[in-house]
Amino acid sequence: MESGCIGMVHSSTTETIKKHLLTKRGCVGVTEDTFLITFNEKIDFLPGQFVMIGVDSHGLTRKPFTIGKFKDNLAISVKTVGEGSKYIVETTTPLEVIGPLGKPFIPLSSNGVVVVAPSCIVEGIHLSEHFDISLHVCSKAPLNKDFISAVSNDKMEFHIGDDAYLQLLNKLKFEKYDWVFITGSKMMEKIGIKKLTGEGGKVVYVSYNEYMGCGIGACKSCAVMTKNGIKHVCSDGPIFRGDEICFQN
Amino acid sequence: MLSKLNLKVPLIIASGPGGFGEYAKIDGFPWKYVGAYTLKTVTYNKKSGNVPPRMYARDGYMINRIGLENPGIDQFLDALENGEYEFLFKKTNVILSLGGDNYQEYIEVTKKVKPYLHKFIAVEYNFSCPNVSKGGLSMVTDLIEWQSLLVEIRKELPDTFLIAKLGIEGGFIENLVEKAAQSGWNGVTVINTIRGLMFNDDGEILLGGLSGPNLLPIAERAVYEVRKKLSDIYIISSGGVYKEEDAKQLLKVGADAVSIGSAIFQDEQIISRIGKYILENLKK
């Protein structure tokens, strides 16, 4: 859906959204409440895109997850915040999925860096590998040591605690990147945008999380206020330039 | 005047959750069981909708405060003329949903759609959206003026199957429906979402319309009361339908058709399960 054209179905309506059944290949703990799940099946997708995962009777909506690759397997990262996400982590039943959805991430140059919370680590790993750039994982809680040893590489750094995140932003401000991709909590993204845009001189991209009903552009629930009016995470995003977003108090 | 909608299955996609037919994009959408698809409400002027957050769900209920985001009638009709909805007309019957901010806008929007009525099986008017400060639910606060509007719309569209979408917050719903029937309207959709308040995970307050499975007993009572008072009006029951049994109960208390709303967010195959069940039970 193009911007400025509210609620219309475009000729892209004829494009089919595929349904998939995904069986788990593995599930590892990233932190106490966050998990990285890999699947046996493959989905053709581009960096930044997401899927909606059905949770059977464990929630009233499918749940959106950015997809990525981990050790060449299709993967998602899941923070357990409710019955739906708990079901996705624990079930042994194949997961019913629609996607890929949303617009892919096309950065302004290849000179960027990725900063993610553990809940978005799959997207971080995938972007880091896809664009061959550094990845900073910023976590409030300690990360699982086995997980760290399984994923570590020379492009990845870990930062634990709020102060470590702020120190990272101060450091990135003076490094010669054109852009910084930040995804995690709204607060994390908001602070990152504030610190790095403007005087920081960086373009910040955020992968936005907003509650979704349909994920396909029908219900208009995942609205985000931007300088160019209301946009929708599922059809205009999920990735937006930070300087476009109007944060509310 | 028609008293029934001629549907292959008395199952209708509710206005709102299904947008303008975007679900048609999903592989294997169960068209076989869709009797009609109601478009998102189109208002006289374009609406950008409410500021986010707009939705949150927990346990058996969800809240939305979309605020009738839509392109406005002129842009909608341009798209209609350009064939943007032809895919949907080819799949099933389509119900047009209309709204406005005030009496005059309801009349004007009605006049504008006159040349296009042949494309739609019915026109539903939204008199119950709780998420707009003007129009929607507020239209039934002055019953004399509202009935005058119903009469005037009927005069403008003498041959159209007219449906009033009503909620439970503008007085006893059976009394509202009686006014619609007296004004020559063919049917009603009962109920809409109910004003509610929820806190989301970020502690933000969402003032919006409540939907989800917990709405079912309220919808059932509304259908029951409307049918008790009016034996002929066509009733599309809406609210809390997630299972085959829900549809069965609504039909039992007097509904002519069952509307599926937010349940399609969970899985659109709910339509095939409920549609199949309805068809099998209609045969009995």
Side-chain angles (χ1 to χ4, degrees):
Chain A
M1 197 173 298
E2 290 168 14
S3 58
C5 194
I6 299 169
M8 306 299 284
V9 172
H10 281 239
S11 52
S12 59
T13 303
T14 50
E15 292 166 17
T16 303
I17 297 170
K18 290 184 179 153
K19 293 188 87 160
H20 314 266
L21 272 181
L22 300 183
T23 54
K24 283 182 191 165
R25 184 184 184 90
C27 179
V28 291
V30 180
T31 66
E32 203 169 70
D33 63 0
T34 303
F35 301 85
L36 190 158
I37 299 172
T38 50
F39 300 102
N40 291 310
E41 296 77 10
K42 294 193 183 307
I43 292 178
D44 288 330
F45 70 98
L46 293 167
Q49 289 190 294
F50 69 99
V51 292
M52 295 291 284
I53 301 184
V55 294
D56 198 24
S57 58
H58 300 271
L60 297 181
T61 58
R62 292 180 172 121
K63 308 295 175 196
F65 291 92
T66 302
I67 38 179
K69 283 181 185 167
F70 181 64
K71 298 190 188 299
D72 215 30
N73 295 307
L74 180 70
I76 58 168
S77 33
V78 182
K79 184 175 182 179
T80 51
V81 291
E83 284 301 308
S85 48
K86 200 174 164 199
Y87 167 79
I88 290 168
V89 169
E90 292 177 356
T91 187
T92 53
T93 307
L95 293 167
E96 175 265 323
V97 168
I98 60 168
L101 302 164
K103 290 184 174 168
F105 176 44
I106 303 170
L108 62 95
S109 73
S110 56
N111 183 27
V113 60
V114 178
V115 179
V116 298
S119 57
C120 305
I121 195 155
V122 159
E123 183 170 21
I125 292 170
H126 185 54
L127 293 180
S128 169
E129 289 176 357
H130 185 87
F131 295 109
D132 193 21
I133 54 178
S134 297
L135 169 63
H136 296 272
V137 181
C138 299
S139 178
K140 275 179 180 288
L143 293 155
N144 181 336
K145 284 177 185 164
D146 291 342
F147 175 75
I148 291 177
S149 56
V151 300
S152 287
N153 61 40
D154 58 359
K155 289 198 175 300
M156 198 181 296
E157 284 182 28
F158 298 93
H159 310 266
I160 310 300
D162 292 343
D163 287 346
Y165 176 56
L166 294 175
Q167 282 166 19
L168 171 67
L169 294 178
N170 287 332
K171 186 173 152 238
L172 291 176
K173 199 170 167 178
F174 298 105
E175 292 188 0
K176 289 184 179 174
Y177 295 114
D178 296 333
W179 54 270
V180 182
F181 179 99
I182 303 175
T183 184
S185 69
K186 262 187 198 169
M187 186 54 76
M188 179 179 169
E189 292 163 1
K190 191 175 174 179
I191 292 169
I193 292 166
K194 196 175 169 187
K195 290 251 182 205
L196 298 176
T197 55
E199 281 182 23
K202 304 280 188 289
V203 168
V204 173
Y205 295 102
V206 294
S207 184
Y208 225 64
N209 296 297
E210 196 65 50
Y211 203 96
M212 285 187 190
C214 66
I216 63 169
C219 73
K220 312 297 176 203
S221 62
C222 56
V224 51
M225 288 292 285
T226 75
K227 287 176 182 163
N228 299 310
I230 290 276
K231 302 264 178 152
H232 302 95
V233 176
C234 72
S235 49
D236 299 311
I239 295 159
F240 296 91
R241 277 179 63 127
D243 55 3
E244 280 183 12
I245 292 175
C246 304
F247 284 100
Q248 296 153 272
N249 293 322
Chain B
M1 192 174 291
L2 289 172
S3 60
K4 300 278 179 200
L5 281 177
N6 184 21
L7 308 176
K8 63 184 175 189
V9 187
L11 187 153
I12 296 171
I13 304 301
S15 179
F20 287 94
E22 286 85 348
Y23 272 87
K25 291 187 282 190
I26 295 184
D27 204 11
F29 188 82
W31 291 109
K32 189 178 167 188
Y33 298 102
V34 177
Y37 199 111
T38 315
L39 299 180
K40 199 165 170 53
T41 297
V42 182
T43 51
Y44 183 69
N45 288 308
K46 167 181 165 177
K47 280 188 186 290
S48 298
N50 289 322
V51 295
R54 288 184 174 180
M55 183 178 281
Y56 187 67
R58 186 188 294 134
D59 303 327
Y61 52 96
M62 68 166 64
I63 202 157
N64 91 75
R65 39 175 278 107
I66 310 298
L68 295 185
E69 179 181 329
N70 79 92
I73 194 65
D74 289 338
Q75 198 180 330
F76 169 77
L77 292 177
D78 283 348
L80 186 66
E81 282 195 350
N82 290 336
E84 285 198 24
Y85 307 109
E86 286 308 311
F87 69 95
L88 195 54
F89 294 119
K90 283 176 190 161
K91 295 285 186 188
T92 189
N93 297 305
V94 181
I95 298 174
L96 178 62
S97 173
L98 296 176
D101 279 357
N102 53 48
Y103 189 108
Q104 201 52 40
E105 285 192 6
Y106 274 84
I107 297 299
E108 292 304 319
V109 84
T110 301
K111 288 178 178 170
K112 280 180 181 278
V113 301
K114 278 176 157 183
Y116 308 95
L117 292 172
H118 60 283
K119 289 181 172 289
F120 302 97
I121 192 171
V123 181
E124 179 179 272
Y125 282 76
N126 187 337
F127 297 121
S128 47
C129 175
N131 294 322
V132 285
S133 55
K134 295 173 183 169
L137 178 59
S138 69
M139 293 306 293
V140 297
T141 50
D142 181 338
L143 289 180
I144 294 170
E145 186 177 277
W146 181 60
Q147 189 160 18
S148 159
L149 175 61
L150 295 175
V151 170
E152 201 165 335
I153 291 172
R154 173 45 88 200
K155 277 185 196 159
E156 291 288 341
L157 308 180
D159 303 318
T160 302
F161 195 97
L162 290 178
I163 302 163
K165 183 161 186 176
L166 299 167
I168 60 161
E169 295 184 280
F172 288 114
I173 195 163
E174 59 272 29
N175 295 342
L176 295 178
V177 175
E178 188 173 38
K179 291 199 180 299
Q182 287 166 352
S183 309
W185 285 48
N186 311 78
V188 287
T189 299
V190 289
I191 58 177
N192 204 326
T193 60
I194 301 168
R195 289 186 304 164
L197 182 158
M198 279 176 84
F199 287 84
N200 68 10
D201 291 335
D202 295 325
E204 296 167 303
I205 289 177
L206 277 82
L207 299 175
L210 213 65
S211 59
N214 289 1
L215 223 60
L216 183 70
I218 302 167
E220 287 183 338
R221 177 68 186 267
V223 171
Y224 174 86
E225 296 295 346
V226 170
R227 181 54 77 217
K228 194 167 78 173
K229 190 152 192 163
L230 295 138
S231 57
D232 293 333
I233 195 99
Y234 189 82
I235 302 176
I236 301 167
S237 56
S238 177
V241 180
Y242 278 71
K243 302 190 300 287
E244 296 91 323
E245 184 68 18
D246 304 339
K248 179 185 171 184
Q249 290 177 2
L250 283 161
L251 292 169
K252 197 169 182 180
V253 294
D256 294 289
V258 174
S259 178
I260 307 284
S262 52
I264 59 171
F265 296 151
Q266 198 177 49
D267 179 3
E268 59 285 342
Q269 292 306 327
I270 280 170
I271 295 163
S272 60
R273 291 197 291 273
I274 294 175
K276 210 177 286 182
Y277 181 85
I278 291 174
L279 282 184
E280 282 167 6
N281 277 271
L282 283 178
K283 285 178 198 162
K284 288 175 188 171

